[in-house]
Amino acid sequence: MSSEVIIETRNLTKVYRDFWGRPKVQALKALDLQVHRGEIFGLLGPNGSGKTTTIKLLLGLLFPTQGDALIFNEPTSNVSKNERIGYLPEESYLYKFLNAEETLHFYGRLFKMSAAERTKRVDHLIDMVGLNAAKHRQLREYSKGMQRRIGLAQALINNPELILLDEPTSGLDPIGTAEIKELIRDLREQGKTIVLSGHLLADMQDICDRIAILHRGELKELGKVSDLLTVQDVTQVKVRNLPPAALDEIREVIARHGVENATIDHPTTTLEELFLRIVRESDQHPGRRKVAADVGRMTAPSDEELAGSHNAS
């Protein structure tokens, strides 16, 4: 991440009004933030917190009630900036009667890309998002997860410097979510700047360098993920294969210093990590399955049990 500022908002405010012009909803209130080149920045918050409104203001799809928003140090009203931006909306508005190749060629023509350049880019993106086997199927036959994949490919067709992704993992299973997150990390390695919005905490925690937490249109927290998640008043020590005698000594030291409510336990993984590990091991060792201990005798009867069954018959 460099010190160059790609996105800057100053007192950015958006108030939605009713038919008569009266204030109805304040979707965003005095938002001040900066996004630097080469970082993955997360806009985090519950539904209705102002995340999508912020992205639409940055794209120039909405006009602010107050304040300013700059992209590449230019006002968001300057439409020429859009050639350097990729955008995946929360709901992908794609032509359902086109297939994946036709969809990407269509968007490539909007950016006035040559036929040779489009073909090369389309093939690369379809392979990157894992849709090679379905590239000739019409999008109306796609699942929601597949639509998110082709939507992401569409957002990258112009090889943008800045990528705005609104709920990029919506509708994806854990495998697809992990692949998209890995793809986003690869884009950062290429020097891209990525802004994500979402409410799935695990997804944002895994890939974001910094996050802004919004609630009811207001910025509630801003900083590096590692700093925000660190519990300063708790100390944790992790070791492997600790002998019982050493564990007893550690407990004695803790007690000697008068520390109360001390807990010594084993660290845990996440459900997502467990699920992905099991799936990958299953691919490496097909046919292996888990047998519960209490039904082990049912799956493998003893010779005596087999003999007794034979005699009874």
Side-chain angles (χ1 to χ4, degrees), residues 129-158:
V129 298
L131 288 176
N132 267 319
K135 63 182 179 181
H136 297 305
R137 290 169 54 187
Q138 290 185 339
L139 301 193
R140 64 183 178 182
E141 301 175 6
Y142 277 18
S143 66
K144 185 174 182 180
M146 295 170 71
Q147 290 182 20
R148 295 307 283 169
R149 291 170 183 268
I150 193 61
L152 179 59
Q154 167 265 314
L156 300 174
I157 188 66
N158 57 323

Side-chain angles (χ1 to χ4, degrees), residues 49-228:
S49 60
K51 305 184 302 295
T52 299
T53 296
T54 300
I55 288 181
K56 289 183 176 180
L57 287 168
L58 294 176
L59 289 167
L61 300 176
L62 295 175
F63 296 100
T65 305
Q66 291 181 351
D68 300 298
L70 303 174
I71 291 183
F72 305 121
N73 205 31
E74 298 179 6
T76 54
S77 57
N78 185 351
V79 296
S80 63
K81 74 182 187 315
N82 293 341
E83 296 182 0
R84 305 163 65 185
I85 297 176
Y87 172 48
L88 174 66
E90 184 176 3
E91 294 292 336
S92 298
Y93 301 100
L94 302 171
Y95 295 103
K96 306 296 184 182
F97 57 87
L98 297 179
N99 63 32
E101 286 186 329
E102 293 167 341
T103 297
L104 297 184
H105 276 287
F106 171 76
Y107 284 100
R109 282 192 289 269
L110 294 180
F111 286 99
K112 300 180 180 179
M113 299 169 62
S114 67
E117 184 182 3
R118 282 201 319 270
T119 300
K120 182 179 179 181
R121 188 74 180 154
V122 167
D123 291 342
H124 169 70
L125 289 173
I126 289 177
D127 180 65
M128 184 174 66
V129 298
L131 288 176
N132 267 319
K135 63 182 179 181
H136 297 305
R137 290 169 54 187
Q138 290 185 339
L139 301 193
R140 64 183 178 182
E141 301 175 6
Y142 277 18
S143 66
K144 185 174 182 180
M146 295 170 71
Q147 290 182 20
R148 295 307 283 169
R149 291 170 183 268
I150 193 61
L152 179 59
Q154 167 265 314
L156 300 174
I157 188 66
N158 57 323
N159 196 20
E161 298 177 44
L162 172 64
I163 305 166
L164 304 176
L165 306 176
D166 198 352
E167 304 279 2
T169 59
S170 175
L172 295 175
D173 59 26
I175 298 295
T177 297
E179 291 173 349
I180 293 300
K181 289 193 290 189
E182 187 61 33
L183 173 58
I184 291 172
R185 295 188 189 98
D186 291 341
L187 291 171
R188 176 180 56 188
E189 294 301 315
Q190 298 172 23
K192 311 291 187 185
T193 304
I194 302 106
V195 176
L196 309 172
S197 78
H199 58 270
L200 299 177
L201 306 184
D203 293 348
M204 305 293 276
Q205 176 182 337
D206 287 347
I207 58 177
C208 291
D209 300 305
R210 291 193 302 141
I211 58 173
I213 300 178
L214 302 177
H215 184 56
R216 296 180 180 176
E218 294 183 317
L219 179 64
K220 298 298 184 181
E221 189 61 85
L222 174 66
K224 292 183 179 180
V225 175
S226 57
D227 293 342
L228 296 178

